Amino acid sequence: MEDHKISRKKFLGLGAAATGAALFSGIGANAVAQVLPEDKNGDSLKEYILINVRLEDGFEYNEKNEVVATKTALYNLHIADGKIKSITTGKSALKLKTVDAKGLLMLPGLRDMHIHIDKTYYGGTWNAAPRKGYTVKDMITLEQKLIPQLLPDSQHKAEEAIKLMQSQGSYFARCQCNIDPVSGLKSLEHLQAALEKNKDSFGWEIVAFPQHGILYSQSEPLLREAASMGIDFIGGLDPTSVDGNMEKSLDTMFQIALDSNKGIDIHLHEGLPSGKAAIEYIIKKTEENKQLQGKTYISHGFALARMDQKDLEKIAEQMGNLGIGVVSTIPIGRTIMPIPTLKKYGVKLMTGTDSIVDHWQPFGTCDMLEKAKLCAQLYGWTDEFSLSRALHIATKDEILPLNDAGTRVWPAVDSEANFILVKATCSAEAVARLPKREGVFYKGKIIAGAIGS
């Protein structure tokens, strides 16, 4: 078996990640993108055994039937053609090359489900210009001036942002892309070029987002054109405070989505009462159009944080029944989202970075594990069980290694080999302590980090 072992250097050379590293003064040291060299020979590691990898096996309980610890053990994973083919213990009988995980914990790969990389300063000059007191309409006016300056190298900056996401454990992103009269379809074209360049090491969805308002900037024709260019969702923006006509704005968004067979992902920053009215109208329209059930998302949705509990419970139940999801950046301060209530009613929940160093805000490390930690901190999830559950916000379909009963449900045979390796004893510790991503894998290929010695 030793004859088949791969050295760290050779294994890294077989990865299919973008070249270089994104070094940027505005991002902390732990968030610097560590990516892997391209394979010069065109060879790739399509089949191997990942040995000595730590998987969660179950919970340990005290006399009060409370979870006090997480049990783990070492396993071998046979990975081939991007999928997990088997999970075994002991010495593998397969005569394949091996990669030694050296006891690192395997967790599901992370997904950044709301990010704007088509108009970022990341990878360029630091900029934290003041905008205190700016409204969304003020920001639209600012963007109309800034976008021509950002467009020339927007593809390069998007590529750097992808490297950053990979280094933080994200193998997939839902990218919000400006569709507006200033940039036309150029932002989309540049974003798609950046994503296509990384197609072997990264997955994505694209939201055609009318940042300047569908009605306010008369962007409907551009959105319809964008819908034919390989995007996945039609977006919208504050239908009352920006577009000035809630029903007409939402009707337009829904109609474009229906006509083009796309999903919906709307930016809704509005509070009460207009934000609540918009959510109720989105529920009504989704109920009327089965085609959009399970394909409709509300990003931000700050009104949900400001409703009284009775209204929130009713709306959350309706959203859960219709498959309307919420994509939250887990804001702190006065707008703490009611994630426990949404979870109670089966509302699909996801998180994302939103912005990394742009004219909207200078924060954002692209670390979805950090979002899980923030979630735990905000809602007081400090015990072993709750910390382990917090990871759900950052993974595909809210998958966790163990279900609530302590049965291992991930990884599973025949599932895609999208995962991270970290120095932690369990997912609860990983959420609480944010360990470095030692290895990031997409369809079985290492796309960031390093494992072995």
Side-chain angles (χ1 to χ4, degrees), residues 247-424:
E247 291 193 7
K248 184 177 180 181
S249 177
L250 294 179
D251 284 346
T252 302
M253 177 186 69
F254 270 85
Q255 196 59 54
I256 298 171
L258 289 166
D259 291 346
S260 57
N261 194 27
K262 306 298 180 185
I264 280 173
D265 189 340
I266 179 174
H267 284 58
L268 188 61
H269 309 97
E270 296 176 11
L272 301 179
S274 63
K276 178 174 179 286
I279 292 171
E280 290 172 333
Y281 196 74
I282 289 168
I283 289 171
K284 174 179 176 290
K285 296 291 290 185
T286 306
E287 191 170 25
E288 291 172 355
N289 296 282
K290 292 188 185 302
Q291 176 183 333
L292 289 169
Q293 293 174 16
K295 294 173 61 179
T296 298
Y297 296 85
I298 298 172
S299 284
H300 307 306
F302 296 145
L304 292 166
R306 295 166 185 166
M307 293 180 194
D308 65 49
Q309 192 61 28
K310 184 178 178 182
D311 286 343
L312 174 63
E313 299 252 355
K314 177 183 176 182
I315 282 176
E317 184 175 17
Q318 291 173 320
M319 290 174 67
N321 290 339
L322 294 171
I324 299 173
V326 169
V327 190
S328 176
T329 57
I330 323 293
I332 58 177
R334 290 177 296 175
T335 310
I336 296 179
M337 293 295 290
I339 285 177
T341 300
L342 297 173
K343 181 75 174 171
K344 171 184 172 183
Y345 288 100
V347 176
K348 293 186 291 185
L349 294 168
M350 301 184 294
T351 190
T353 294
D354 197 4
S355 304
I356 44 170
V357 198
D358 65 11
H359 50 283
W360 288 83
Q361 53 110 339
F363 308 109
T365 62
C366 290
D367 189 348
M368 296 304 101
L369 198 56
E370 183 180 57
K371 293 290 185 181
K373 178 181 179 178
L374 178 58
C375 204
Q377 289 176 309
L378 284 175
Y379 307 111
W381 300 342
T382 57
D383 60 281
E384 180 84 2
F385 180 77
S386 298
L387 280 167
S388 74
R389 304 299 87 185
L391 183 64
H392 77 86
I393 196 95
T395 64
K396 184 179 187 295
D397 299 326
E398 302 179 71
I399 191 67
L400 295 169
L402 302 177
N403 64 18
D404 288 355
T407 301
R408 174 149 48 86
V409 293
W410 181 94
V413 173
D414 290 330
S415 63
E416 277 196 351
N418 304 319
F419 57 88
I420 61 175
L421 298 176
V422 296
K423 289 180 181 176

Side-chain angles (χ1 to χ4, degrees), residues 178-198:
N178 261 47
I179 304 296
D180 61 76
V182 179
S183 61
L185 299 172
K186 288 294 183 184
S187 288
L188 177 57
E189 291 168 0
H190 293 183
L191 173 63
Q192 288 178 320
L195 291 167
E196 184 66 20
K197 195 171 178 179
N198 288 277

Side-chain angles (χ1 to χ4, degrees), residues 25 95 97 116 124 201 386 402 415 424 442:
S25 61
K95 300 299 182 182
K97 294 176 179 178
H116 299 259
S201 61
S386 298
L402 302 177
S415 63
Y442 173 63

Side-chain angles (χ1 to χ4, degrees), residues 1-2 76 88-95:
M1 203 61 178
E2 190 65 29
N76 305 316
T88 59
T89 57
K91 189 173 181 179
S92 175
L94 296 172
K95 300 299 182 182

Side-chain angles (χ1 to χ4, degrees), residues 5-238:
K5 205 163 190 177
I6 301 178
S7 69
R8 172 178 176 271
K9 182 177 180 182
K10 184 175 181 182
F11 185 61
L12 297 188
L14 295 172
T19 59
L23 302 176
F24 188 57
S25 61
I27 301 295
N30 288 338
V32 172
Q34 181 185 14
V35 295
L36 307 175
E38 290 180 349
D39 175 17
K40 303 296 185 185
N41 300 319
D43 189 15
S44 63
L45 193 61
K46 295 187 185 228
E47 186 170 15
Y48 60 97
I49 307 291
L50 183 64
I51 64 172
N52 296 322
V53 63
R54 187 170 302 281
L55 301 181
E56 296 185 354
D57 269 345
F59 292 129
E60 294 182 13
Y61 301 84
N62 64 13
E63 65 280 358
K64 296 180 181 179
N65 203 35
E66 299 167 325
V67 175
V68 293
T70 303
K71 295 183 285 188
T72 65
L74 298 180
Y75 289 85
N76 305 316
L77 271 66
H78 174 201
I79 296 174
D81 298 320
K83 293 191 174 183
I84 297 170
K85 297 298 184 181
S86 68
I87 303 170
T88 59
T89 57
K91 189 173 181 179
S92 175
L94 296 172
K95 300 299 182 182
L96 293 171
K97 294 176 179 178
T98 65
V99 178
D100 192 348
K102 295 189 174 180
L104 292 172
L105 177 70
M106 175 186 284
L107 294 176
L110 309 178
R111 290 157 57 94
D112 196 320
M113 297 303 286
H114 185 110
I115 188 167
H116 299 259
I117 62 172
D118 63 309
K119 53 180 184 182
T120 179
Y121 294 132
Y122 182 74
T125 304
W126 163 256
N127 190 311
R131 63 174 187 86
K132 187 175 181 179
Y134 276 30
T135 65
V136 173
K137 283 190 175 180
D138 291 333
M139 292 301 290
I140 291 171
T141 301
L142 176 62
E143 276 207 3
Q144 289 169 344
K145 298 176 183 177
L146 287 178
I147 284 175
Q149 302 169 29
L150 295 172
L151 271 175
D153 64 348
S154 66
Q155 179 182 334
H156 166 72
K157 288 176 180 173
E159 291 169 10
E160 294 300 300
I162 290 168
K163 293 175 189 176
L164 178 61
M165 284 188 277
Q166 290 172 320
S167 74
Q168 297 287 44
S170 289
Y171 69 92
F172 188 97
R174 180 179 291 180
C175 302
Q176 304 282 337
C177 183
N178 261 47
I179 304 296
D180 61 76
V182 179
S183 61
L185 299 172
K186 288 294 183 184
S187 288
L188 177 57
E189 291 168 0
H190 293 183
L191 173 63
Q192 288 178 320
L195 291 167
E196 184 66 20
K197 195 171 178 179
N198 288 277
K199 65 182 180 181
D200 293 329
S201 61
F202 199 70
W204 66 83
E205 295 168 340
I206 298 176
V207 181
F209 171 47
Q211 175 69 81
H212 302 172
I214 298 176
L215 306 182
Y216 188 62
S217 64
Q218 300 180 352
S219 292
E220 181 181 350
L222 279 172
L223 281 175
R224 288 190 174 277
E225 192 172 351
S228 66
M229 293 175 62
I231 59 96
D232 305 279
F233 295 87
I234 300 298
L237 174 71
D238 297 339

